[in-house]
Amino acid sequence: MKERLLALKEEALQELAQVANQQQLNDLRIKYLGKKGPLTEILRGMGALSAEERPVIGQVANEVRGAIEEVIEAKQAEYTAAETEARLSAETIDVTLPGRPAARGAVHPLNKVIQEIEDIFIGMGYTVAEGPEVEQDYYNFEALNLPKNHPARDMQDSFYITEEILMRTQTSPVQVRTMEKMNGRAPVKIICPGKVYRRDDDDATHSHMFTQIEGLVIDRNIRMSDLKGTLLQFVQELFGSGTQIRLRPSFFPFTEPSVEVDVTCAMCGGSGCRVCKQTGWLEILGAGMVHPNVLEKGGYDPQEFTGFAFGMGVERVAMLKYDIEDIRHFYTNDLRFLKQFVHL
Ligand code: DAH
C-alpha cells in the first residue's frame, strides 16, 4: 500500500509539472484530491489494515496528500498572480495622454458692447434701467407724443399682439416708465439696453429683432450743450480719444429739437472709405431735448425741468467697432463667428 501511495505521488507530481493553465490545474486537483480520486480510495481501504500498519500508512498517505496539495497551491498562486497582473495592466490609465479640453463659453459680442457702453455711462453717474419687451401702446407711442394715427408711427412697422399691446419697437418707452417710477424726483439719469422688434425683411443691415440703448437725463437747467458734451465723451471712450461728433437736425416726435449724431469713421479716421461710403462720417444715434409733452406725461413740469434723450442701435455700433459686415451674424450662432470675440 505504501508503494501504491508513493507511486501515486510520483505520478501526480509528474503530471502537475506539465500543467499549462488554470483549467488543467483544476482538473488535476479533482483527479488526485477529489472524493472519487485514488487517494480517497486508498484511505477508505485503511480499515482492512492491521493496527500496527494503520498509523504508518496513515502517515505516508498524509505526506502524499500534503506534497500534492503543496504543488497545487504553488501553481494556483502563480496563476492568481498572473491573472491579477493581466487585469491591472488592462485597467491602466495613461496619465500622459492629453486630456479632452472642456469647451469654454464666452460673452456674446453684443453683450460685450452693451457692457462696455454701460460701463462708460455708469462712470458718468448713470444707472441701468429695464423695461418689458411686450409693451403697451401707451408707453411705446402715446406717451412719447405719438398719438394714434400720428404719421410718424409709420416710421416703425410694429408687431401688434392686440390693439393695445405690441412688441416694443424702441427702448424709448422705458423713458416714460422711469419718469413714472421717479415720481417727479430729479435728477433722472438712466440708460436702458434691450431688445426691440420691427416688421422688417432681414438682410445684411436689417433685422426684425435688434438691440437698442436708450439714454435719458432730466433735471433743472439741462441744455443741448449737456447732450453734446455727454455724447462726445461717450464716443471718445468707446471709439478712441480722437473721435469727433457731428449733429444734424432731424425729427423724432419725443424730442424737440431733434438731432442725428454722426461720429468720425473709426475705420479711416475721417478721410473716407468703404465703411463710411467716402463721407468720413457714420451715423450712430438719434437724440434731442425731451419734448415738453413727454415730460408732462411722465409727471415733470416742463416749465421747471428740461432733459435730453438719445437712442442707438447696439448692432450698428458693434458692426462699426469690429468691422462686421452682416447683422445676421449676431443671431445665427455660428461658433466660427462667435469665437473671434472670445479674447476681447
Ligand atoms: N427711439 C428712436 C428710434 O428707435 C431712437 C431715439 C431717437 C431715441 C431720439 C431717443 C431720442 O431717445 O431722443 O429710432
Side-chain angles (χ1 to χ4, degrees):
M1 197 169 242
K2 186 173 170 185
E3 282 74 46
R4 265 182 72 200
L5 279 166
L6 293 177
L8 184 68
K9 175 177 156 190
E10 275 319 298
E11 188 197 324
L13 294 186
Q14 254 175 36
E15 266 202 275
L16 280 166
Q18 313 286 324
V19 156
N21 57 43
Q22 176 78 62
Q23 184 57 48
Q24 289 177 5
L25 184 66
N26 291 347
D27 292 346
L28 288 185
R29 183 189 282 121
I30 293 165
K31 177 172 173 188
Y32 288 104
L33 304 178
K35 273 189 204 138
K36 288 177 188 151
L39 200 58
T40 316
E41 196 191 304
I42 292 169
L43 291 172
R44 246 186 233 131
M46 294 242 302
L49 294 177
S50 67
E52 297 86 58
E53 269 182 320
R54 215 177 284 153
V56 181
I57 295 300
Q59 199 186 350
V60 175
N62 277 336
E63 273 169 26
V64 169
R65 171 177 268 276
I68 296 174
E69 273 175 356
E70 201 176 305
V71 175
I72 288 180
E73 263 160 39
K75 287 261 177 205
Q76 184 58 58
E78 256 173 54
Y79 286 129
T80 309
E83 198 190 313
T84 309
E85 182 62 31
R87 204 167 53 228
L88 282 179
S89 65
E91 287 174 2
T92 334
I93 295 167
D94 183 352
V95 293
T96 65
L97 277 177
R100 289 188 201 106
R104 278 182 74 192
V107 179
H108 191 280
L110 265 186
N111 287 332
K112 282 224 166 104
V113 174
I114 291 175
Q115 281 169 7
E116 210 175 314
I117 295 174
E118 282 180 0
D119 282 349
I120 294 171
F121 281 102
I122 287 169
M124 293 195 264
Y126 287 66
T127 52
V128 178
E130 278 186 358
E133 288 171 26
V134 180
E135 186 54 287
Q136 297 171 34
D137 182 276
Y138 174 79
Y139 289 109
N140 196 81
F141 287 132
E142 196 91 18
L144 289 167
N145 204 27
L146 272 142
K148 291 224 161 70
N149 304 320
H150 191 291
R153 284 195 179 206
D154 296 344
M155 284 162 67
Q156 303 177 358
D157 237 337
S158 323
F159 289 113
Y160 271 91
I161 293 166
T162 68
E163 287 252 312
E164 294 301 327
I165 310 257
L166 74 162
M167 302 306 289
R168 68 176 175 196
T169 58
Q170 47 188 357
T171 43
S172 305
V174 184
Q175 289 187 22
V176 188
R177 288 181 170 276
T178 303
M179 283 188 260
E180 282 185 358
K181 253 184 235 153
M182 288 295 282
N183 203 13
R185 277 171 287 137
V188 175
K189 265 180 108 174
I190 55 124
I191 55 161
C192 165
K195 294 195 187 77
V196 300
Y197 301 82
R198 290 185 198 177
R199 285 162 46 138
D200 228 334
D201 292 326
D202 294 2
D203 62 23
T205 53
H206 295 84
S207 170
H208 61 283
M209 182 203 80
F210 59 102
T211 320
Q212 284 189 333
I213 292 187
E214 191 79 13
L216 173 71
V217 171
I218 298 173
D219 206 348
R220 295 172 183 88
N221 300 317
I222 296 290
R223 292 178 299 235
M224 191 102 182
S225 53
D226 296 313
L227 170 65
K228 204 175 165 187
T230 301
L231 293 179
L232 183 62
Q233 175 70 23
F234 162 63
V235 299
Q236 290 189 341
E237 284 194 48
L238 189 67
F239 292 111
S241 55
T243 313
Q244 291 300 318
I245 55 170
R246 173 174 84 171
L247 272 52
R248 287 179 287 107
S250 184
F251 170 80
F252 298 102
F254 28 87
T255 43
E256 182 57 39
S258 302
V259 291
E260 262 166 341
V261 182
D262 300 340
V263 292
T264 41
C265 177
M267 293 300 154
C268 62
S271 58
C273 68
R274 166 187 64 85
V275 176
C276 59
K277 301 199 179 86
Q278 310 305 329
T279 64
W281 294 96
L282 294 163
E283 186 201 325
I284 63 155
L285 48 81
M289 301 307 291
V290 181
H291 197 288
N293 290 352
V294 177
L295 285 170
E296 231 161 62
K297 286 257 199 257
Y300 286 81
D301 179 358
Q303 299 300 323
E304 188 182 353
F305 291 99
T306 48
F308 66 74
F310 56 87
M312 72 189 104
V314 183
E315 285 81 354
R316 185 161 164 74
V317 170
M319 287 165 83
L320 295 173
K321 202 169 151 71
Y322 300 118
D323 199 12
I324 296 163
E325 83 290 359
D326 195 319
I327 193 170
R328 290 168 293 197
H329 285 316
F330 291 116
Y331 307 114
T332 40
N333 291 334
D334 186 334
L335 287 178
R336 290 169 304 179
F337 170 75
L338 296 172
K339 275 184 177 158
Q340 296 174 62
F341 302 92
V342 165
H343 302 294
L344 288 183

